[in-house]
Amino acid sequence: FSPNAFIYGYGYLPGIVPEHGIRLTALVQKHLNSKSTFMENTVKCLPRGFTKVPEQSSAFTDANVQAKFTLDYGMSVLPVDWTFLCPLVYIRNFVLTPHADYSIFKSGEGNLKLCSIGADFSAALGNFLWLPFDSEFGISFSYNCGPSFKDLENKTVVNRYFVGLIFNVSLQ
């Protein structure tokens, strides 16, 4: 594993209405040893939706300084309280979370700048399969873009659109 120094910060702001909220995050990291063969933290700095990009691509492993900035706007869209599936599943509400990510990869050859915009739509569950833990399942969509998208597309296989599944369980 490569030695890294990093700074991560996040914050929350109120949304337009009390049920909404804004989450802002920033991650900046510097690889301290440029001879490392495996940069495991590169994937943490990729914008959401860039899942098909190989981690070993020189476009990322040569970048010794990386940064990622995100903005999420979470909002409850359907407070349903559906209990007809209990005790198997209790659906509290549905949540829509538009998001935007912007990443910079700085190397000796220049900067690689990528971004993605999209949204997550999920069902917030009060229990799942009789387990009394908050969980959610849904779908995520991202549109991949950025000033360096065309350059990256010429070097490796990268998708413009991403659709994926969401499944989270909170054990708290």
Side-chain angles (χ1 to χ4, degrees):
F1 295 103
S2 61
N4 294 312
F6 72 93
I7 297 173
Y8 176 74
Y10 65 93
Y12 295 94
L13 298 170
I16 296 171
V17 297
E19 293 81 22
H20 297 183
I22 299 169
R23 180 179 65 181
L24 302 168
T25 69
L27 169 66
V28 178
Q29 66 181 6
K30 178 170 177 40
H31 295 298
L32 302 176
N33 182 354
S34 62
K35 296 184 193 293
S36 296
T37 57
F38 181 66
M39 301 288 195
E40 79 284 351
N41 286 328
T42 300
V43 73
K44 293 179 184 171
C45 283
L46 285 170
R48 283 173 272 199
F50 282 90
T51 58
K52 300 284 184 186
V53 179
E55 282 186 80
Q56 297 298 331
S57 172
S58 64
F60 302 109
T61 56
D62 291 346
N64 61 353
V65 177
Q66 304 170 0
K68 179 180 178 182
F69 306 94
T70 69
L71 180 139
D72 293 33
Y73 188 88
M75 60 182 125
S76 177
V77 289
L78 294 171
V80 292
D81 276 335
W82 284 345
T83 59
F84 66 90
L85 296 172
C86 278
L88 185 63
V89 174
Y90 163 58
I91 300 175
R92 291 183 303 164
N93 62 333
F94 291 93
V95 179
L96 178 64
T97 309
H99 56 75
D101 295 1
Y102 187 79
S103 296
I104 302 169
F105 299 88
K106 203 173 222 185
S107 67
E109 298 176 12
N111 296 338
L112 183 66
K113 298 175 184 174
L114 300 170
C115 60
S116 70
I117 55 173
D120 297 343
F121 183 73
S122 61
L125 307 176
N127 69 337
F128 178 68
L129 299 178
W130 299 280
L131 300 174
F133 303 115
D134 289 341
S135 55
E136 69 175 320
F137 69 91
I139 192 162
S140 179
F141 171 79
S142 292
Y143 174 76
N144 301 323
C145 53
S148 303
F149 186 82
K150 287 288 185 196
D151 297 335
L152 182 62
E153 199 171 35
N154 293 335
K155 294 179 183 179
T156 186
V157 176
V158 63
N159 293 329
R160 181 66 78 173
Y161 302 97
F162 169 79
V163 177
L165 296 176
I166 298 170
F167 181 73
N168 293 320
V169 177
S170 176
L171 300 176
Q172 295 180 0

